[in-house]
Amino acid sequence: MSLNDPRIQIATAIPPLEAEPTRKGTTFRGSVYDTSGTRRLVFLKLLKIEDIAREALCSVLARVVGLPIAQAFYVQVEPAFVPGHRTGNPYGLAFGLERDCYPTFSIVNDQINEDMRRWPEALACGVFDEWIFNGDRLPKNLVFASDGVYWMIDHDEALPDSAHPGDARYAQILQLLADGKTPLELHRLRREALEFVERLKKINWDEVLEFVFPSDVVTTGIGGHFEKHIKFLRQRIECMPDILTRSLNIKQLDMKLDGYAAPEGWKEKKL
């Protein structure tokens, strides 16, 4: 699918903003003007700077590796536009995702399993979630557009400060794809997942910093959060082969290796 420029764009909120309570706070539906003066429809979240950094970085990285996520914005919001709500930080900065022209629908629990197994990008999304330490994807953080595209949303629980680079997160989509698989099928799934990890290894991190860190937001103190998360993600890439083994619940010593290459670190037990 064709995606726009991965850069986080700068925009200014236009009143009125319509509040929509969610299980994690309040999201606003509204419009913004981007720097070209174009009016864009967005979902707007009032967040702390460190939470905006998580959302922005995950948005850029998803686009860089070709996953479906809408255009992201740093949005200046006047407190008067959101009466009764805190703006999230002293800079009046919010995070926005563009609302597509196609109606979107939350995926309901009873259809999620089969839908995800048929989704061509499910494995890539699952590996991405594992990498960014996101355990909160299904069913609420994917939406389905009437044009047939699944869109990833909401990464506010990704990149937690408590995570260690080598920890497995057991991403929900990976668990779903692994469910009911034979050991051989699991190893094949892992091999396909590692092909996506190779794409992660090719990320140009200097370019990513340019995409998430435009000069317009230098004064917000957001740069330190990006540096911390990027350091974590670069370390985590090197751990992904072992992480995927654990996340997919692969039991190496039970594997029948008939014609199949053993995974890294596996040694045949001698009798």
Side-chain angles (χ1 to χ4, degrees):
M1 60 182 301
S2 175
L3 295 175
N4 296 330
D5 192 323
R7 290 175 176 81
I8 306 293
Q9 297 187 22
I10 308 298
T12 304
I14 307 168
L17 299 176
E18 179 184 351
E20 182 175 295
T22 69
R23 63 194 179 102
K24 296 180 182 177
T26 302
T27 296
F28 292 84
R29 295 173 181 263
S31 299
V32 300
Y33 284 127
D34 63 20
T35 53
S36 70
T38 302
R39 187 169 182 141
R40 315 277 284 268
L41 299 176
V42 299
F43 293 106
L44 197 64
K45 297 170 72 174
L46 309 181
L47 301 170
K48 297 178 181 178
I49 287 297
E50 54 264 39
D51 295 325
I52 292 176
R54 290 185 178 91
E55 292 276 13
L57 182 57
C58 291
S59 171
V60 164
L61 290 172
R63 285 189 154 219
V64 164
V65 297
L67 289 172
I69 190 167
Q71 177 62 57
F73 297 89
Y74 295 123
V75 183
Q76 292 290 336
V77 180
E78 289 292 334
F81 296 170
V82 287
H85 298 274
R86 297 169 63 95
T87 55
N89 58 73
Y91 308 101
L93 191 70
F95 179 78
L97 274 183
E98 188 163 22
R99 292 162 53 193
D100 198 88
C101 58
Y102 299 98
T104 55
F105 309 94
S106 294
I107 302 170
V108 297
N109 289 322
D110 59 0
Q111 74 183 68
I112 189 67
N113 290 2
E114 290 307 312
D115 284 356
M116 286 300 96
R117 290 189 178 104
R118 289 194 299 266
W119 185 32
E121 294 170 294
L123 181 58
C125 183
V127 176
F128 182 77
D129 279 344
E130 188 67 46
W131 180 48
I132 65 172
F133 218 86
N134 180 37
D136 187 35
R137 178 67 65 195
L138 303 176
K140 301 297 183 182
N141 291 329
L142 277 173
V143 294
F144 180 67
S146 61
D147 62 348
V149 176
Y150 289 94
W151 294 94
M152 300 161 58
I153 60 170
D154 286 348
H155 295 94
D156 50 2
E157 293 191 13
L159 301 171
D161 293 337
S162 60
H164 296 284
D167 290 347
R169 186 61 184 93
Y170 302 96
Q172 290 174 306
I173 293 181
L174 287 185
Q175 301 303 296
L176 178 61
L177 295 177
D179 185 48
K181 292 281 195 299
T182 67
L184 181 58
E185 289 171 333
L186 288 175
H187 277 283
R188 287 173 175 164
L189 187 65
R190 177 182 178 275
R191 184 167 57 187
E192 293 173 14
L194 286 173
E195 292 175 4
F196 183 77
V197 172
E198 290 302 310
R199 289 162 62 182
L200 302 180
K201 290 181 179 180
K202 296 177 182 177
I203 289 172
N204 182 329
W205 291 102
D206 290 334
E207 189 177 64
V208 167
L209 273 174
E210 291 180 7
F211 293 160
V212 297
F213 201 20
S215 58
D216 312 60
V217 296
V218 167
T219 58
T220 64
I222 202 170
H225 298 293
F226 291 138
E227 292 172 4
K228 175 182 66 176
H229 294 319
I230 286 174
K231 179 181 178 181
F232 169 83
L233 289 169
R234 295 184 74 167
Q235 293 173 336
R236 191 162 173 78
I237 288 175
E238 302 306 316
C239 302
M240 286 300 288
D242 178 62
I243 289 170
L244 287 169
T245 298
R246 286 180 282 140
S247 186
L248 293 171
N249 196 29
I250 293 174
K251 297 178 174 58
Q252 294 175 350
L253 295 180
D254 292 340
M255 178 65 188
K256 294 181 180 179
L257 297 172
D258 297 336
Y260 193 86
E264 296 91 335
W266 189 90
K267 293 183 180 180
E268 184 177 2
K269 184 178 178 180
K270 294 183 179 180
L271 298 177

